[in-house]
Amino acid sequence: ARATECCPQALSPSVVAAAMPSRVRYQSTRGGVHGLDFSDILLSAYAPDGGLFVPELSTMPNHIAGLHPGMTLAQVTARVLEPFTGIALADCEEICAAAFLSFNNGLEPALPLVRAGRRLLLETGAGPTLAFKDIGQQVVARLLNHVLGGGGGGAP
């Protein structure tokens, strides 16, 4: 296996070929809000009823299409984000590629695997603040920029 691979080697053809909804809808964990799209929840953070936003199960994809061994972390992340955000795959790829440039000094793999005995662990402290939260925050910052009209690649 090459160092840039992050997908499992035994990926079912049904997963790769499966269709998915074009956009997941979101609801509050407290039940007061339903049917919101990603841009609504991204910009509001908490639901008006005090709950957190979660995907509505009926709108969630059963599979993520287009995954294959040899993809980078940014490519896999983009394919996972696309159905949950409704953002075009090409834009998701740009957002994720830019987000992960700040990890591991811009080298692939962005989040290296570290051997610990017989186990492989994902090194999540390779971001700008050396904390696992960097993984999500680098992507979220670029998603906000994209939704607010600034594009996804970098800071405005």
Side-chain angles (χ1 to χ4, degrees), residues 40-85:
D40 294 330
I41 68 158
L42 180 67
L43 298 175
S44 55
Y46 292 100
D49 63 4
L52 300 174
F53 289 111
V54 295
E56 293 179 0
L57 291 178
S58 64
T59 66
M60 285 186 57
N62 292 324
H63 303 285
I64 303 299
L67 296 176
H68 58 82
M71 295 177 76
T72 66
L73 178 63
Q75 291 168 327
V76 171
T77 304
R79 277 159 185 78
V80 172
L81 278 178
E82 189 270 333
F84 287 90
T85 63

mmCIF file of all heavy atoms in Angstrom, residues 40-85:
data_model
loop_
_atom_site.group_PDB
_atom_site.id
_atom_site.type_symbol
_atom_site.label_atom_id
_atom_site.label_comp_id
_atom_site.label_asym_id
_atom_site.label_seq_id
_atom_site.Cartn_x
_atom_site.Cartn_y
_atom_site.Cartn_z
ATOM 1 N N ASP A 40 -28.032 26.667 6.052
ATOM 2 C CA ASP A 40 -28.796 27.167 7.198
ATOM 3 C C ASP A 40 -28.152 26.764 8.517
ATOM 4 O O ASP A 40 -28.003 27.575 9.428
ATOM 5 C CB ASP A 40 -30.239 26.646 7.174
ATOM 6 C CG ASP A 40 -31.048 27.180 6.017
ATOM 7 O OD1 ASP A 40 -30.771 28.309 5.559
ATOM 8 O OD2 ASP A 40 -31.959 26.461 5.567
ATOM 9 N N ILE A 41 -27.773 25.504 8.624
ATOM 10 C CA ILE A 41 -27.222 25.047 9.902
ATOM 11 C C ILE A 41 -25.796 25.504 10.111
ATOM 12 O O ILE A 41 -25.385 25.774 11.233
ATOM 13 C CB ILE A 41 -27.346 23.522 10.073
ATOM 14 C CG1 ILE A 41 -26.447 22.779 9.109
ATOM 15 C CG2 ILE A 41 -28.785 23.083 9.947
ATOM 16 C CD1 ILE A 41 -26.124 21.375 9.547
ATOM 17 N N LEU A 42 -25.031 25.616 9.037
ATOM 18 C CA LEU A 42 -23.650 26.073 9.164
ATOM 19 C C LEU A 42 -23.604 27.486 9.727
ATOM 20 O O LEU A 42 -22.771 27.802 10.572
ATOM 21 C CB LEU A 42 -22.944 26.028 7.802
ATOM 22 C CG LEU A 42 -21.489 26.481 7.784
ATOM 23 C CD1 LEU A 42 -20.614 25.510 8.567
ATOM 24 C CD2 LEU A 42 -20.996 26.609 6.353
ATOM 25 N N LEU A 43 -24.508 28.326 9.275
ATOM 26 C CA LEU A 43 -24.501 29.727 9.700
ATOM 27 C C LEU A 43 -25.180 29.959 11.044
ATOM 28 O O LEU A 43 -24.969 30.994 11.672
ATOM 29 C CB LEU A 43 -25.143 30.590 8.621
ATOM 30 C CG LEU A 43 -24.414 30.573 7.280
ATOM 31 C CD1 LEU A 43 -25.183 31.358 6.230
ATOM 32 C CD2 LEU A 43 -22.997 31.103 7.419
ATOM 33 N N SER A 44 -25.999 29.003 11.515
ATOM 34 C CA SER A 44 -26.690 29.236 12.780
ATOM 35 C C SER A 44 -26.095 28.470 13.956
ATOM 36 O O SER A 44 -26.362 28.823 15.094
ATOM 37 C CB SER A 44 -28.181 28.902 12.642
ATOM 38 O OG SER A 44 -28.362 27.592 12.179
ATOM 39 N N ALA A 45 -25.315 27.454 13.712
ATOM 40 C CA ALA A 45 -24.636 26.664 14.740
ATOM 41 C C ALA A 45 -25.608 25.882 15.625
ATOM 42 O O ALA A 45 -25.620 24.675 15.583
ATOM 43 C CB ALA A 45 -23.694 27.514 15.570
ATOM 44 N N TYR A 46 -26.422 26.542 16.444
ATOM 45 C CA TYR A 46 -27.393 25.861 17.305
ATOM 46 C C TYR A 46 -28.800 26.083 16.771
ATOM 47 O O TYR A 46 -29.102 27.130 16.204
ATOM 48 C CB TYR A 46 -27.318 26.382 18.740
ATOM 49 C CG TYR A 46 -26.033 26.020 19.433
ATOM 50 C CD1 TYR A 46 -25.002 26.942 19.544
ATOM 51 C CD2 TYR A 46 -25.854 24.746 19.966
ATOM 52 C CE1 TYR A 46 -23.817 26.609 20.178
ATOM 53 C CE2 TYR A 46 -24.671 24.405 20.600
ATOM 54 C CZ TYR A 46 -23.657 25.338 20.705
ATOM 55 O OH TYR A 46 -22.484 25.005 21.318
ATOM 56 N N ALA A 47 -29.671 25.109 17.024
ATOM 57 C CA ALA A 47 -31.077 25.238 16.623
ATOM 58 C C ALA A 47 -31.771 26.233 17.543
ATOM 59 O O ALA A 47 -31.386 26.395 18.700
ATOM 60 C CB ALA A 47 -31.763 23.877 16.707
ATOM 61 N N PRO A 48 -32.823 26.908 17.049
ATOM 62 C CA PRO A 48 -33.548 27.881 17.880
ATOM 63 C C PRO A 48 -34.132 27.270 19.156
ATOM 64 O O PRO A 48 -34.307 27.967 20.142
ATOM 65 C CB PRO A 48 -34.665 28.383 16.968
ATOM 66 C CG PRO A 48 -34.239 28.051 15.589
ATOM 67 C CD PRO A 48 -33.335 26.857 15.688
ATOM 68 N N ASP A 49 -34.409 25.957 19.149
ATOM 69 C CA ASP A 49 -34.955 25.311 20.342
ATOM 70 C C ASP A 49 -33.862 24.868 21.314
ATOM 71 O O ASP A 49 -34.121 24.202 22.302
ATOM 72 C CB ASP A 49 -35.851 24.122 19.955
ATOM 73 C CG ASP A 49 -35.107 23.005 19.237
ATOM 74 O OD1 ASP A 49 -33.864 23.090 19.084
ATOM 75 O OD2 ASP A 49 -35.766 22.037 18.823
ATOM 76 N N GLY A 50 -32.597 25.241 21.037
ATOM 77 C CA GLY A 50 -31.479 24.914 21.902
ATOM 78 C C GLY A 50 -30.812 23.586 21.582
ATOM 79 O O GLY A 50 -29.821 23.218 22.213
ATOM 80 N N GLY A 51 -31.338 22.857 20.616
ATOM 81 C CA GLY A 51 -30.755 21.574 20.245
ATOM 82 C C GLY A 51 -29.594 21.725 19.278
ATOM 83 O O GLY A 51 -29.264 22.831 18.834
ATOM 84 N N LEU A 52 -28.998 20.611 18.982
ATOM 85 C CA LEU A 52 -27.950 20.553 17.968
ATOM 86 C C LEU A 52 -28.564 20.051 16.673
ATOM 87 O O LEU A 52 -29.572 19.356 16.683
ATOM 88 C CB LEU A 52 -26.839 19.593 18.412
ATOM 89 C CG LEU A 52 -26.139 19.958 19.716
ATOM 90 C CD1 LEU A 52 -25.171 18.845 20.109
ATOM 91 C CD2 LEU A 52 -25.418 21.282 19.590
ATOM 92 N N PHE A 53 -27.966 20.402 15.554
ATOM 93 C CA PHE A 53 -28.459 19.933 14.265
ATOM 94 C C PHE A 53 -27.858 18.576 13.935
ATOM 95 O O PHE A 53 -26.660 18.358 14.106
ATOM 96 C CB PHE A 53 -28.126 20.922 13.160
ATOM 97 C CG PHE A 53 -28.925 22.182 13.236
ATOM 98 C CD1 PHE A 53 -28.318 23.380 13.560
ATOM 99 C CD2 PHE A 53 -30.284 22.173 12.988
ATOM 100 C CE1 PHE A 53 -29.055 24.550 13.629
ATOM 101 C CE2 PHE A 53 -31.033 23.329 13.054
ATOM 102 C CZ PHE A 53 -30.409 24.520 13.377
ATOM 103 N N VAL A 54 -28.704 17.671 13.466
ATOM 104 C CA VAL A 54 -28.286 16.349 12.997
ATOM 105 C C VAL A 54 -28.977 16.070 11.674
ATOM 106 O O VAL A 54 -30.042 16.623 11.396
ATOM 107 C CB VAL A 54 -28.617 15.238 14.020
ATOM 108 C CG1 VAL A 54 -27.823 15.414 15.310
ATOM 109 C CG2 VAL A 54 -30.104 15.178 14.310
ATOM 110 N N PRO A 55 -28.389 15.216 10.849
ATOM 111 C CA PRO A 55 -29.056 14.870 9.583
ATOM 112 C C PRO A 55 -30.377 14.147 9.838
ATOM 113 O O PRO A 55 -30.492 13.360 10.787
ATOM 114 C CB PRO A 55 -28.063 13.935 8.899
ATOM 115 C CG PRO A 55 -26.755 14.183 9.560
ATOM 116 C CD PRO A 55 -27.076 14.584 10.961
ATOM 117 N N GLU A 56 -31.374 14.429 8.998
ATOM 118 C CA GLU A 56 -32.615 13.661 9.031
ATOM 119 C C GLU A 56 -32.303 12.305 8.411
ATOM 120 O O GLU A 56 -31.797 12.235 7.291
ATOM 121 C CB GLU A 56 -33.713 14.377 8.259
ATOM 122 C CG GLU A 56 -34.144 15.673 8.908
ATOM 123 C CD GLU A 56 -35.233 16.410 8.133
ATOM 124 O OE1 GLU A 56 -35.658 15.910 7.064
ATOM 125 O OE2 GLU A 56 -35.638 17.481 8.595
ATOM 126 N N LEU A 57 -32.600 11.249 9.129
ATOM 127 C CA LEU A 57 -32.222 9.910 8.682
ATOM 128 C C LEU A 57 -32.757 9.582 7.299
ATOM 129 O O LEU A 57 -32.076 8.938 6.499
ATOM 130 C CB LEU A 57 -32.690 8.860 9.687
ATOM 131 C CG LEU A 57 -31.954 8.873 11.031
ATOM 132 C CD1 LEU A 57 -32.536 7.815 11.958
ATOM 133 C CD2 LEU A 57 -30.465 8.661 10.842
ATOM 134 N N SER A 58 -33.953 10.044 6.981
ATOM 135 C CA SER A 58 -34.544 9.711 5.684
ATOM 136 C C SER A 58 -33.817 10.362 4.507
ATOM 137 O O SER A 58 -34.007 9.960 3.367
ATOM 138 C CB SER A 58 -36.019 10.123 5.655
ATOM 139 O OG SER A 58 -36.134 11.529 5.775
ATOM 140 N N THR A 59 -32.974 11.348 4.778
ATOM 141 C CA THR A 59 -32.261 12.032 3.694
ATOM 142 C C THR A 59 -30.787 11.661 3.629
ATOM 143 O O THR A 59 -30.078 12.135 2.744
ATOM 144 C CB THR A 59 -32.376 13.566 3.839
ATOM 145 O OG1 THR A 59 -31.681 13.990 5.027
ATOM 146 C CG2 THR A 59 -33.824 14.012 3.906
ATOM 147 N N MET A 60 -30.328 10.831 4.551
ATOM 148 C CA MET A 60 -28.906 10.470 4.576
ATOM 149 C C MET A 60 -28.577 9.445 3.496
ATOM 150 O O MET A 60 -29.380 8.569 3.214
ATOM 151 C CB MET A 60 -28.517 9.908 5.942
ATOM 152 C CG MET A 60 -28.412 10.980 6.998
ATOM 153 S SD MET A 60 -27.801 10.331 8.558
ATOM 154 C CE MET A 60 -26.248 9.627 8.083
ATOM 155 N N PRO A 61 -27.385 9.546 2.915
ATOM 156 C CA PRO A 61 -26.979 8.551 1.915
ATOM 157 C C PRO A 61 -26.724 7.200 2.578
ATOM 158 O O PRO A 61 -26.281 7.133 3.721
ATOM 159 C CB PRO A 61 -25.683 9.129 1.349
ATOM 160 C CG PRO A 61 -25.155 10.022 2.415
ATOM 161 C CD PRO A 61 -26.360 10.563 3.145
ATOM 162 N N ASN A 62 -27.020 6.128 1.850
ATOM 163 C CA ASN A 62 -26.716 4.785 2.338
ATOM 164 C C ASN A 62 -25.255 4.436 2.100
ATOM 165 O O ASN A 62 -24.688 3.617 2.801
ATOM 166 C CB ASN A 62 -27.596 3.744 1.630
ATOM 167 C CG ASN A 62 -29.038 3.882 2.036
ATOM 168 O OD1 ASN A 62 -29.331 4.192 3.174
ATOM 169 N ND2 ASN A 62 -29.945 3.667 1.104
ATOM 170 N N HIS A 63 -24.672 5.027 1.069
ATOM 171 C CA HIS A 63 -23.290 4.757 0.697
ATOM 172 C C HIS A 63 -22.677 6.052 0.159
ATOM 173 O O HIS A 63 -23.382 6.948 -0.272
ATOM 174 C CB HIS A 63 -23.206 3.700 -0.403
ATOM 175 C CG HIS A 63 -23.864 2.412 -0.041
ATOM 176 N ND1 HIS A 63 -23.322 1.520 0.831
ATOM 177 C CD2 HIS A 63 -25.047 1.883 -0.431
ATOM 178 C CE1 HIS A 63 -24.123 0.488 0.975
ATOM 179 N NE2 HIS A 63 -25.187 0.683 0.208
ATOM 180 N N ILE A 64 -21.376 6.093 0.170
ATOM 181 C CA ILE A 64 -20.650 7.208 -0.434
ATOM 182 C C ILE A 64 -20.032 6.682 -1.726
ATOM 183 O O ILE A 64 -19.199 5.780 -1.700
ATOM 184 C CB ILE A 64 -19.567 7.760 0.513
ATOM 185 C CG1 ILE A 64 -20.174 8.205 1.848
ATOM 186 C CG2 ILE A 64 -18.799 8.890 -0.161
ATOM 187 C CD1 ILE A 64 -21.199 9.314 1.758
ATOM 188 N N ALA A 65 -20.447 7.233 -2.852
ATOM 189 C CA ALA A 65 -19.989 6.763 -4.158
ATOM 190 C C ALA A 65 -18.615 7.338 -4.501
ATOM 191 O O ALA A 65 -18.238 8.403 -4.037
ATOM 192 C CB ALA A 65 -20.992 7.166 -5.231
ATOM 193 N N GLY A 66 -17.905 6.613 -5.333
ATOM 194 C CA GLY A 66 -16.659 7.115 -5.900
ATOM 195 C C GLY A 66 -15.425 6.928 -5.042
ATOM 196 O O GLY A 66 -14.368 7.459 -5.364
ATOM 197 N N LEU A 67 -15.507 6.162 -3.960
ATOM 198 C CA LEU A 67 -14.329 5.916 -3.131
ATOM 199 C C LEU A 67 -13.543 4.737 -3.698
ATOM 200 O O LEU A 67 -14.124 3.760 -4.148
ATOM 201 C CB LEU A 67 -14.741 5.590 -1.698
ATOM 202 C CG LEU A 67 -15.460 6.693 -0.930
ATOM 203 C CD1 LEU A 67 -15.877 6.187 0.440
ATOM 204 C CD2 LEU A 67 -14.595 7.926 -0.805
ATOM 205 N N HIS A 68 -12.225 4.869 -3.657
ATOM 206 C CA HIS A 68 -11.391 3.759 -4.103
ATOM 207 C C HIS A 68 -10.031 3.845 -3.437
ATOM 208 O O HIS A 68 -9.616 4.929 -3.001
ATOM 209 C CB HIS A 68 -11.263 3.727 -5.628
ATOM 210 C CG HIS A 68 -10.704 4.984 -6.213
ATOM 211 N ND1 HIS A 68 -9.355 5.247 -6.264
ATOM 212 C CD2 HIS A 68 -11.320 6.067 -6.750
ATOM 213 C CE1 HIS A 68 -9.161 6.436 -6.812
ATOM 214 N NE2 HIS A 68 -10.328 6.954 -7.119
ATOM 215 N N PRO A 69 -9.349 2.717 -3.314
ATOM 216 C CA PRO A 69 -8.013 2.726 -2.712
ATOM 217 C C PRO A 69 -7.090 3.677 -3.462
ATOM 218 O O PRO A 69 -7.187 3.827 -4.671
ATOM 219 C CB PRO A 69 -7.545 1.268 -2.868
ATOM 220 C CG PRO A 69 -8.809 0.486 -2.963
ATOM 221 C CD PRO A 69 -9.785 1.380 -3.697
ATOM 222 N N GLY A 70 -6.212 4.328 -2.731
ATOM 223 C CA GLY A 70 -5.249 5.234 -3.339
ATOM 224 C C GLY A 70 -5.661 6.696 -3.269
ATOM 225 O O GLY A 70 -4.889 7.572 -3.623
ATOM 226 N N MET A 71 -6.881 6.974 -2.818
ATOM 227 C CA MET A 71 -7.328 8.365 -2.714
ATOM 228 C C MET A 71 -6.666 9.048 -1.515
ATOM 229 O O MET A 71 -6.351 8.403 -0.519
ATOM 230 C CB MET A 71 -8.853 8.421 -2.558
ATOM 231 C CG MET A 71 -9.593 7.905 -3.768
ATOM 232 S SD MET A 71 -11.380 7.897 -3.520
ATOM 233 C CE MET A 71 -11.712 9.646 -3.704
ATOM 234 N N THR A 72 -6.466 10.340 -1.620
ATOM 235 C CA THR A 72 -5.922 11.104 -0.503
ATOM 236 C C THR A 72 -7.033 11.395 0.506
ATOM 237 O O THR A 72 -8.226 11.255 0.204
ATOM 238 C CB THR A 72 -5.335 12.448 -0.984
ATOM 239 O OG1 THR A 72 -6.408 13.260 -1.488
ATOM 240 C CG2 THR A 72 -4.260 12.251 -2.051
ATOM 241 N N LEU A 73 -6.630 11.825 1.693
ATOM 242 C CA LEU A 73 -7.595 12.192 2.720
ATOM 243 C C LEU A 73 -8.516 13.308 2.219
ATOM 244 O O LEU A 73 -9.723 13.274 2.448
ATOM 245 C CB LEU A 73 -6.872 12.643 3.995
ATOM 246 C CG LEU A 73 -7.764 13.097 5.138
ATOM 247 C CD1 LEU A 73 -8.650 11.953 5.629
ATOM 248 C CD2 LEU A 73 -6.921 13.648 6.276
ATOM 249 N N ALA A 74 -7.989 14.276 1.500
ATOM 250 C CA ALA A 74 -8.809 15.370 0.968
ATOM 251 C C ALA A 74 -9.841 14.849 -0.030
ATOM 252 O O ALA A 74 -10.990 15.290 -0.030
ATOM 253 C CB ALA A 74 -7.922 16.431 0.317
ATOM 254 N N GLN A 75 -9.460 13.914 -0.875
ATOM 255 C CA GLN A 75 -10.403 13.353 -1.859
ATOM 256 C C GLN A 75 -11.515 12.562 -1.174
ATOM 257 O O GLN A 75 -12.684 12.684 -1.551
ATOM 258 C CB GLN A 75 -9.653 12.466 -2.859
ATOM 259 C CG GLN A 75 -8.742 13.240 -3.771
ATOM 260 C CD GLN A 75 -7.804 12.328 -4.546
ATOM 261 O OE1 GLN A 75 -7.366 11.284 -4.067
ATOM 262 N NE2 GLN A 75 -7.481 12.740 -5.778
ATOM 263 N N VAL A 76 -11.174 11.773 -0.182
ATOM 264 C CA VAL A 76 -12.185 11.011 0.553
ATOM 265 C C VAL A 76 -13.113 11.969 1.299
ATOM 266 O O VAL A 76 -14.337 11.826 1.251
ATOM 267 C CB VAL A 76 -11.526 10.014 1.532
ATOM 268 C CG1 VAL A 76 -12.559 9.381 2.451
ATOM 269 C CG2 VAL A 76 -10.759 8.947 0.759
ATOM 270 N N THR A 77 -12.542 12.948 1.969
ATOM 271 C CA THR A 77 -13.339 13.921 2.728
ATOM 272 C C THR A 77 -14.310 14.654 1.809
ATOM 273 O O THR A 77 -15.476 14.860 2.154
ATOM 274 C CB THR A 77 -12.426 14.915 3.464
ATOM 275 O OG1 THR A 77 -11.519 14.187 4.294
ATOM 276 C CG2 THR A 77 -13.222 15.882 4.316
ATOM 277 N N ALA A 78 -13.871 15.033 0.635
ATOM 278 C CA ALA A 78 -14.740 15.733 -0.319
ATOM 279 C C ALA A 78 -15.926 14.868 -0.715
ATOM 280 O O ALA A 78 -17.062 15.356 -0.786
ATOM 281 C CB ALA A 78 -13.943 16.139 -1.556
ATOM 282 N N ARG A 79 -15.697 13.600 -0.957
ATOM 283 C CA ARG A 79 -16.796 12.710 -1.351
ATOM 284 C C ARG A 79 -17.781 12.473 -0.212
ATOM 285 O O ARG A 79 -18.960 12.273 -0.451
ATOM 286 C CB ARG A 79 -16.242 11.403 -1.898
ATOM 287 C CG ARG A 79 -15.871 11.574 -3.358
ATOM 288 C CD ARG A 79 -14.887 10.563 -3.863
ATOM 289 N NE ARG A 79 -14.501 10.865 -5.235
ATOM 290 C CZ ARG A 79 -13.630 11.800 -5.588
ATOM 291 N NH1 ARG A 79 -13.071 12.554 -4.674
ATOM 292 N NH2 ARG A 79 -13.330 12.007 -6.856
ATOM 293 N N VAL A 80 -17.296 12.487 1.014
ATOM 294 C CA VAL A 80 -18.193 12.361 2.159
ATOM 295 C C VAL A 80 -18.975 13.662 2.368
ATOM 296 O O VAL A 80 -20.174 13.644 2.645
ATOM 297 C CB VAL A 80 -17.415 11.973 3.436
ATOM 298 C CG1 VAL A 80 -18.300 12.031 4.669
ATOM 299 C CG2 VAL A 80 -16.799 10.584 3.276
ATOM 300 N N LEU A 81 -18.325 14.793 2.208
ATOM 301 C CA LEU A 81 -18.983 16.091 2.415
ATOM 302 C C LEU A 81 -20.053 16.411 1.376
ATOM 303 O O LEU A 81 -21.066 17.021 1.705
ATOM 304 C CB LEU A 81 -17.953 17.225 2.385
ATOM 305 C CG LEU A 81 -17.183 17.495 3.651
ATOM 306 C CD1 LEU A 81 -16.177 18.618 3.411
ATOM 307 C CD2 LEU A 81 -18.091 17.840 4.795
ATOM 308 N N GLU A 82 -19.823 16.031 0.131
ATOM 309 C CA GLU A 82 -20.703 16.448 -0.964
ATOM 310 C C GLU A 82 -22.190 16.177 -0.690
ATOM 311 O O GLU A 82 -22.998 17.095 -0.767
ATOM 312 C CB GLU A 82 -20.236 15.806 -2.282
ATOM 313 C CG GLU A 82 -20.941 16.330 -3.507
ATOM 314 C CD GLU A 82 -22.184 15.544 -3.854
ATOM 315 O OE1 GLU A 82 -22.259 14.357 -3.508
ATOM 316 O OE2 GLU A 82 -23.094 16.129 -4.460
ATOM 317 N N PRO A 83 -22.611 14.969 -0.324
ATOM 318 C CA PRO A 83 -24.049 14.771 -0.107
ATOM 319 C C PRO A 83 -24.571 15.475 1.150
ATOM 320 O O PRO A 83 -25.740 15.815 1.233
ATOM 321 C CB PRO A 83 -24.194 13.253 0.015
ATOM 322 C CG PRO A 83 -22.853 12.768 0.426
ATOM 323 C CD PRO A 83 -21.867 13.708 -0.206
ATOM 324 N N PHE A 84 -23.703 15.704 2.123
ATOM 325 C CA PHE A 84 -24.135 16.348 3.365
ATOM 326 C C PHE A 84 -24.208 17.865 3.242
ATOM 327 O O PHE A 84 -24.867 18.531 4.026
ATOM 328 C CB PHE A 84 -23.215 15.948 4.522
ATOM 329 C CG PHE A 84 -23.427 14.540 4.981
ATOM 330 C CD1 PHE A 84 -22.721 13.496 4.414
ATOM 331 C CD2 PHE A 84 -24.355 14.256 5.966
ATOM 332 C CE1 PHE A 84 -22.933 12.192 4.821
ATOM 333 C CE2 PHE A 84 -24.580 12.957 6.381
ATOM 334 C CZ PHE A 84 -23.866 11.924 5.804
ATOM 335 N N THR A 85 -23.508 18.430 2.261
ATOM 336 C CA THR A 85 -23.471 19.889 2.117
ATOM 337 C C THR A 85 -24.252 20.409 0.923
ATOM 338 O O THR A 85 -24.646 21.570 0.910
ATOM 339 C CB THR A 85 -22.022 20.381 1.966
ATOM 340 O OG1 THR A 85 -21.470 19.835 0.761
ATOM 341 C CG2 THR A 85 -21.175 20.006 3.164
#
